[in-house]
Amino acid sequence: PQVLAGIRAAQEAGLEPVKINSVLLRGINDDGAADLLAWTLEQGLQLRFIEQMPLDEDRTWTRRGMVTAAEIRQLLSRRFRLDPRPVPRAGAPAELWDVRALDAELADEPLGTVGIIASVTEPFCAACTRTRITADGKIRSCLFSHEETDLMELLRDGSSDEDIARRWQSAMWMKPRAYGSDDVTLN
C-alpha cells in the first residue's frame, strides 16, 4: 500500500514520467512480466525491466536466476508488440521500446513505452554518460564501481560550486569503458 500511495503522490505532484523499476527472477516473478507492463500502461507509468546484476560483495551471484533482456522481450511479446523507439539512446541505460497491441487493427498507436536495462547481456558501458551520487555524498561513475569520490567534504567545508564541479568531473574522467558485468566467467 505504501508503494502505491507513493506512486499516486508522485503523479498528483506532477512528476513526469513516473518510472517503475522491476527485476525479474527466473521462477519467482518472471511469469508476471506482461501483467506488470499492462498495469503500468493503464496507470500512465513508465516501466523499466532491469537485468539482475552481480552487485553482491560476497560474489555469490550467478546467471542461473537472471532473466535476460532477450527473455524479457520474449515474455512481453506474447501479449504486446515491441518496436524499438526511433529516438537515439543518448547514453541512457534503458533501451526504450514502443508498446503496441498485438491486434493489427489496434497496433497503430503505441500504448506507451517500456525500457529494458541489459547491463549484463547487452552492456552499454562505452556509451554511458550516467553518474551516481550516494546518500552520503559520494560519486560513483557506475553502479558496478567499487571506487567513490567524496563530495560531502567539499559541501561541508564551504568549497565553491566550481571546486565541487571539478571534483565531480575528475571522477567521471576516470570512468572505465566497462566494469566487467558482461564477464562470461560469472556463472
Side-chain angles (χ1 to χ4, degrees):
Q2 295 93 337
V3 172
L4 296 176
I7 291 169
R8 282 191 299 276
Q11 289 176 310
E12 289 168 6
L15 299 177
E16 291 291 329
V18 176
K19 297 177 185 176
I20 305 296
N21 292 337
S22 177
V23 176
L24 297 178
L25 300 174
R26 187 173 317 287
I28 296 174
N29 64 351
D30 54 333
D31 62 340
D35 289 339
L36 180 59
L37 177 55
W39 180 80
T40 58
L41 293 170
E42 290 168 9
Q43 301 300 312
L45 305 167
Q46 287 191 9
L47 181 59
R48 301 286 187 269
F49 286 106
I50 305 171
E51 285 182 335
Q52 183 192 32
M53 298 181 280
L55 298 176
D56 58 338
E57 289 294 321
D58 59 359
R59 313 281 288 163
T60 59
W61 180 90
T62 67
R63 289 181 183 231
R64 283 187 297 276
M66 182 184 79
V67 179
T68 68
E71 291 171 313
I72 293 168
R73 289 188 295 268
Q74 182 181 27
L75 288 167
L76 299 178
S77 294
R78 294 177 186 162
R79 188 158 163 194
F80 300 101
R81 190 178 95 206
L82 302 179
D83 295 326
R85 294 288 317 264
V87 184
R89 194 167 174 169
E95 183 175 4
L96 297 180
W97 301 81
D98 284 328
V99 181
R100 291 185 164 79
L102 285 178
D103 184 337
E105 292 180 22
L106 303 173
D108 286 344
E109 288 299 314
L111 303 169
T113 63
V114 65
I116 299 175
I117 301 174
S119 302
V120 177
T121 62
E122 299 169 14
F124 48 86
C125 295
C128 180
T129 59
R130 299 299 170 105
T131 185
R132 308 285 181 183
I133 187 164
T134 65
D136 59 349
K138 294 183 175 63
I139 296 299
R140 281 185 167 208
S141 59
C142 176
L143 284 174
F144 290 108
S145 177
H146 295 290
E147 297 176 20
E148 297 178 334
T149 301
D150 191 5
L151 291 185
M152 188 60 76
E153 68 178 327
L154 296 180
L155 293 168
R156 288 190 171 143
D157 73 9
S159 293
S160 70
D161 288 349
E162 291 79 20
D163 289 338
I164 295 167
R166 271 193 295 278
R167 180 162 299 170
W168 196 325
Q169 184 179 47
S170 177
M172 296 314 295
W173 279 343
M174 302 307 292
K175 182 176 182 160
R177 289 187 53 82
Y179 280 96
S181 64
D182 59 335
D183 185 345
V184 293
T185 63
L186 294 171
N187 301 352

